Amino acid sequence: QVQLVQSGADVRKPGASVKVSCRASGYTFTDYAIHWMRQAPGQRLEWMAWINTGNGRTKYSYKFQDRVTITRDTSAKTVHMELRSLTSEDTAVYYCAKDRLREPSITPWGASATYSPSIDPWGQGTLVTVSS
Amino acid sequence: DIQMTQSPSSLSASVGDGVTITCRASQGVSSYLSWYQQKSGQAPKLLIYAASTLQSGVPSRFSGSGSGTYFTLTISSLQPEDFATYHCQQTYSTPFTFGGGTKVESK
């Protein structure tokens, strides 16, 4: 079955970086995009980025663009998310999730049946705590 | 960013009740709208995408409708396992923003 398994919880100091990994199994890794989201305590879910696991092309939320890098290792069927210059506001559970699309980059009006992302399943989540 | 507003933020219902949750987008998103269910301590699970397409394996008591800026998620007959928080998400333009969530609690 399709499964995404994330790396374990991490504690970092302000100003540091964190790298979270997401290992995929049960499907052809390079055929589907992977998204990253996070959920801070008491806050709504927040989308961060996607990666085309076939060619490595990425799309980042402008909010994180200067601080985040998403990479993939096709031989290990793993996607990595690195977030830099951490502050306490980055304390959150970070999730990866698989899309049904290779690259969710075009959304023609009225064509959602073909072009709509379908983001599922999600990994189990990785708690990143930023504290001095 | 496209702002997503869910209502209500919480509701109380009994097993067997019909439940409707609404999600409004600050600008049109066609039908690029997904719904998720999240139980405490778990990752979200996709229920519906493209506004009305039921994800494989999701019970038929869940349904979605809407287009443009107004969307609804309906649970036709609430089951014990449906008590959870529900989130909408627009996937029309990045960043793919989420609503604030609706917590469905037992009355």
Side-chain angles (χ1 to χ4, degrees), chain B residues 2-39:
Chain B
I2 298 176
Q3 310 303 316
M4 305 302 293
T5 304
Q6 280 182 244
S7 60
S9 57
S10 65
L11 64 90
S12 297
S14 301
V15 172
D17 285 351
V19 167
T20 297
I21 298 167
T22 66
C23 180
R24 291 182 186 269
S26 61
Q27 63 191 79
V29 297
S30 185
S31 295
Y32 293 87
L33 193 285
S34 297
W35 290 97
Y36 300 87
Q37 177 192 68
Q38 186 177 27
K39 296 181 179 178

